[in-house]
């Protein structure tokens, strides 16, 4: 077991998922693959996710006390789902993502909505902001995909360094508790003109969730993808955020401050720099 360097001594350690020498292809993280997002992006960001975006953006503004002219970093903005909705509320948004096709889709959405958003292609593990933001967000389970805890921690540190003292960080992520609460071994459904089959299994002692996705189009063409998301407990994430430079972090079961308990819909962390 390896403990993340630089964390508090009482932090709970977890294994890295890279347990054998990696090939050149494997050295590249799966989420850096442009083809994955072209094929699976429409499945992940379906119409239901887009429909909930205005409410999520409004909740972010309420939680962090944001108004017109406030500056927000959307860390891992994807196709601009939240970034554009924040811009429609008068927020000065910078959306950062590693994938060029996702940023192109985000720019198209912003143009369609006639709003200005600053989009930047960068790796959150090394991202450095030119100026400090009033708040940052990392939403819709966009954390825990790196092969090592060190890389996960680097993301949190760089986000913290991008926020003004007294600023806010709002994070929504699958946690170990919610993964257990809502665990299913798999399902199938129709979406974006494809049949989607999913299979899920647990890695280690609930250290990660292995997800296998199979897409089948109308012509019978099949695409498969498999990845592991590291699962942190709420308390572990709270410790990581403290080590990354946040003064406080409160945990809720939704954006409306619902308690984080056995009825939690998701995990929302509200941290203060």
């Amino acid at each position: 077991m390896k403990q993340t360097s630089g964390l508090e001594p009482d932090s709970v350690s977890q294994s890295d998922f890279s347990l054998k020498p990696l090939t050149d292809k494997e050295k590249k993280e799966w989420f850096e693959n442009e083809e994955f997002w072209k094929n699976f992006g429409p499945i992940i960001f379906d119409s239901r996710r887009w429909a909930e975006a205005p409410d999520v953006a409004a909740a972010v503004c309420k939680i962090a006390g944001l108004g017109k002219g406030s500056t927000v970093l959307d860390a891992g903005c994807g196709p601009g789902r939240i970034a554009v909705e924040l811009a429609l509320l008068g927020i000065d948004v910078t959306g950062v993502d590693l994938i060029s096709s996702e940023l192109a889709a985000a720019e198209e959405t912003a143009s369609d909505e006639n709003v200005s958003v600053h989009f930047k292609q960068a790796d959150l593990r090394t991202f450095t902001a030119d100026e400090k933001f009033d708040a940052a967000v990392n939403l819709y389970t966009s954390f825990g995909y790196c092969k090592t805890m060190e890389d996960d921690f680097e993301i949190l540190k760089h986000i913290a360094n991008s926020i003004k003292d007294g600023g806010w960080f709002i994070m929504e992520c699958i946690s170990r508790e919610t993964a257990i609460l809502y665990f299913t071994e798999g399902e199938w459904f129709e979406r974006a003109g494809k049949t989607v089959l999913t299979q899920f299994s647990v890695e280690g002692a609930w250290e990660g969730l292995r997800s296998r996705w199979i897409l089948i189009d109308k012509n019978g063409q099949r695409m498969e993808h498999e990845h592991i998301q590291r699962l942190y407990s709420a308390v572990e994430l709270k410790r990581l955020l403290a080590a990354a430079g946040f003064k406080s972090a409160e945990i809720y079961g939704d954006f409306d401050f619902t308690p984080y308990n056995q009825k939690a819909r998701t995990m929302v962390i509200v941290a203060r720099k």
Side-chain angles (χ1 to χ4, degrees):
M1 302 289 281
K2 182 188 290 185
Q3 184 167 327
T4 303
S5 58
L7 302 187
E8 298 297 329
D10 61 349
S11 293
V12 178
S13 63
Q14 299 182 44
S15 297
D16 293 344
F17 294 132
S18 50
L19 302 178
K20 60 183 179 180
L22 301 175
T23 65
D24 289 340
K25 183 178 180 180
E26 289 172 330
K27 287 177 183 178
K28 191 173 184 179
E29 300 273 21
W30 66 265
F31 52 78
E32 299 179 70
N33 186 339
E34 292 274 354
E35 284 302 310
F36 167 80
W37 294 104
K38 289 177 182 178
N39 293 320
F40 287 82
I43 307 300
I44 297 170
F45 298 106
D46 64 337
S47 58
R48 182 168 63 93
R49 292 300 177 186
W50 283 93
E52 71 185 12
D55 288 340
V56 173
V60 165
C61 290
K62 183 177 180 180
I63 291 169
L66 304 174
K68 290 186 177 180
S70 295
T71 57
V72 172
L73 168 66
D74 187 351
C77 66
R81 192 178 64 101
I82 301 299
V84 169
E85 291 298 334
L86 287 170
L88 286 168
L89 295 174
I91 307 300
D92 184 357
V93 186
T94 296
V96 174
D97 205 277
L98 187 59
I99 305 302
S100 60
S101 59
E102 292 293 280
L103 291 172
E107 290 173 348
E108 183 177 349
T109 301
S111 177
D112 289 344
E113 294 292 342
N114 197 30
V115 293
S116 175
V117 179
H118 315 288
F119 290 112
K120 182 174 182 179
Q121 185 173 14
D123 190 329
L124 290 173
R125 292 167 290 188
T126 57
F127 171 70
T128 301
D130 296 327
E131 58 185 50
K132 304 290 186 180
F133 296 90
D134 295 316
V137 297
N138 179 264
L139 303 173
Y140 187 34
T141 311
S142 301
F143 185 75
Y145 294 115
C146 297
K147 286 191 177 76
T148 68
M149 287 183 68
E150 285 85 356
D151 280 349
D152 286 347
F153 186 57
E154 285 300 313
I155 291 173
L156 295 180
K157 284 199 301 183
H158 282 90
I159 290 174
N161 290 337
S162 300
I163 301 172
K164 297 175 182 176
D165 289 341
W168 300 86
F169 176 44
I170 300 168
M171 181 181 192
E172 181 197 15
C173 185
I174 233 178
S175 65
R176 183 175 297 132
E177 295 91 352
T178 55
I180 293 171
L181 187 62
Y182 295 111
F183 179 76
T184 177
E185 292 186 352
E187 57 185 346
W188 75 272
F189 49 87
E190 302 287 339
R191 186 177 296 170
K194 294 180 175 64
T195 299
V196 184
L197 295 87
T198 61
Q199 297 174 346
F200 304 103
S201 60
V202 176
E203 288 289 303
W206 282 98
E207 294 167 88
L209 186 66
R210 181 181 293 273
S211 301
R212 183 185 181 210
W213 290 63
I214 301 170
L215 305 186
I216 304 172
D217 66 19
K218 294 179 180 179
N219 297 319
Q221 293 293 316
R222 180 185 178 110
M223 289 175 284
E224 294 191 27
H225 170 76
E226 185 172 285
H227 68 265
I228 300 172
Q229 181 175 11
R230 181 173 285 102
L231 296 175
Y232 293 94
S233 71
V235 171
E236 286 168 349
L237 275 173
K238 197 169 183 177
R239 289 174 180 166
L240 285 173
L241 288 166
F246 290 96
K247 295 178 180 177
S248 67
E250 301 298 328
I251 303 163
Y252 302 99
D254 212 329
F255 290 99
D256 60 358
F257 302 124
T258 300
Y260 184 71
N261 57 23
Q262 76 280 7
K263 297 180 180 179
R265 183 189 71 84
T266 184
M267 180 185 66
V268 174
I269 298 182
V270 179
R272 194 81 185 265
K273 175 77 179 288

